[in-house]
Amino acid sequence: MWIWLLAALVALIVTAVLIARLTSRPRPARHAARAKDRRAGLASGSVRPLYPDLPDTHQLTAAPVVADLGSDVPLYEWLRYSAGDNAWSEVVADFYTRTAADPDVADYFRDTDLEVLQRHFLAALMLVTKQGLTVGVVRKMQDRHGGVINSHGEPINDQTWDTVVGALVAVLQDRQVPARSIHDLAVTIEPLNAAIATGPAASS
């Protein structure tokens, strides 16, 4: 009997010594290296690709429509018909005027060529209002906004996203776009939120 008790006591002592050594041992270099790699990845703006199992051509959301004369017309076509061929260019120009007036939004694009940015935004807006949103468009937006930060080093967050969407809504309301169609547009572009607004929520 005493042999079993002695063996148990020895086992407890050995276990206690091993635990003490493990807890007092410096952190292995490989763990420190992995943590450094994670920090470097965050600093470089690298993000996890969205929809990794879907092809670029996969359609996530449909184009918004306007119910006109008994049929659904894509918002892109409806606005050009009701406001002229330059309607979308005017929407984008008005949109950028409004967002530039918001210092929090403007801070993200202080070093950006706004003329190029507007052309890209116009092309994207015309595409989603005519054909809907595909995985490929989401990935392009994720790539283009991955490194966008403000003067405090913060990426775009949900508050900024809401401000920008609100400005677009106001511009479309001024052009008499039906409320239902504006709601449909918000649904169409919602997947872009995860691609663009990658920052933490702003503190109140």
Side-chain angles (χ1 to χ4, degrees), residues 47 108 145-146 148-149 153-161 193-202:
V47 290
Y108 285 98
H145 292 83
V148 175
I149 55 174
E154 302 164 340
I156 297 171
N157 57 42
D158 283 335
Q159 283 76 12
T160 307
W161 167 265
N193 188 345
I196 295 174
T198 60

Side-chain angles (χ1 to χ4, degrees), residues 146 167 172 195:
L172 295 176

Side-chain angles (χ1 to χ4, degrees), residues 39-164:
R39 290 194 297 270
L42 291 173
S44 67
S46 61
V47 290
R48 184 178 180 182
L50 296 171
Y51 312 106
D53 299 326
L54 295 176
D56 283 353
T57 55
H58 181 83
Q59 187 168 13
L60 295 169
T61 53
V65 298
V66 178
D68 189 33
L69 300 178
S71 63
D72 290 339
V73 179
L75 178 56
Y76 168 80
E77 300 289 354
W78 181 88
L79 190 62
R80 290 183 71 241
Y81 177 78
S82 63
D85 291 341
N86 294 325
W88 286 108
S89 295
E90 293 168 0
V91 164
V92 171
D94 193 0
F95 167 80
Y96 272 87
T97 298
R98 292 173 187 250
T99 53
D102 186 297
D104 292 332
V105 176
D107 191 24
Y108 285 98
F109 304 101
R110 63 200 179 282
D111 298 323
T112 303
D113 186 330
L114 292 182
E115 184 176 344
V116 172
L117 191 64
Q118 287 190 42
R119 286 202 301 269
H120 288 165
F121 181 72
L122 174 60
L125 187 59
M126 291 171 67
L127 183 64
V128 299
T129 55
K130 188 176 184 179
Q131 301 177 10
L133 188 66
T134 64
V135 169
V137 172
V138 172
R139 287 174 179 156
K140 286 181 182 178
M141 291 298 175
Q142 186 179 32
D143 289 342
R144 288 177 180 170
H145 292 83
V148 175
I149 55 174
N150 62 16
S151 58
H152 303 291
E154 302 164 340
I156 297 171
N157 57 42
D158 283 335
Q159 283 76 12
T160 307
W161 167 265
D162 290 342
T163 299
V164 169

